[in-house]
Amino acid sequence: MALMMGKVEPGFGCDAAGNPQPGLVHNATVLVLPPVWDTDPEIGWGRVFYAFGSDFGDAHLRVAVHNSNSNGGWRVSTITVKSTDPVARVDAWAGDDKISICRIPTSATDKADAVPVGYRVEAVLRA
């Protein structure tokens, strides 16, 4: 098993509608992902999992996953990471190669841009 863990950068990167804001892109956290197993015998990884957790409050995130199998396509999810809930998960697909995470305010007046949020990318070795 391999783990990649860290924290999501503080500061909003999007507006309240989840649209990235060019002047705030420095607040994004970008990760390069291990390959998800897609029946290629040369890849030693099986399942890959993306998870997010928070404490001291809830966080709203824009999670964009780039997939090299979909002609450079991104799939974008908006998730709420609640401090009272288990970790929030985003599904991994074969071909995922990077992920971009940024915080979204809940309203135009939201100032809670530093609620601690951690991420975990877990790759399980294929048997």
Side-chain angles (χ1 to χ4, degrees):
M1 176 181 5
L3 293 174
M4 178 171 42
M5 296 182 287
K7 66 177 186 169
V8 175
E9 292 293 330
F12 295 124
C14 296
D15 63 17
N19 301 309
Q21 297 299 294
L24 300 175
V25 295
H26 62 279
N27 293 332
T29 300
V30 178
L31 309 173
V32 177
L33 300 171
V36 177
W37 179 64
D38 62 358
T39 70
D40 182 340
E42 295 179 17
I43 297 175
W45 300 112
R47 296 285 315 271
V48 177
F49 305 91
Y50 316 139
F52 302 89
S54 70
D55 196 4
F56 305 106
D58 300 343
H60 303 278
L61 303 177
R62 175 189 181 271
V63 179
V65 182
H66 184 267
N67 189 289
S68 60
N69 290 345
S70 62
N71 296 322
W74 290 87
R75 66 181 187 281
V76 179
S77 302
T78 301
I79 63 172
T80 300
V81 183
K82 294 183 171 258
S83 63
T84 56
D85 287 352
V87 297
R89 300 184 192 280
V90 174
D91 290 335
W93 296 359
D96 288 356
D97 57 6
K98 57 187 169 183
I99 188 169
S100 174
I101 309 151
C102 65
R103 296 168 185 269
I104 302 172
T106 57
S107 69
T109 58
D110 187 353
K111 302 293 184 209
D113 66 349
V115 170
V117 178
Y119 64 79
R120 180 182 71 226
V121 178
E122 179 180 2
V124 181
L125 282 174
R126 195 172 42 160

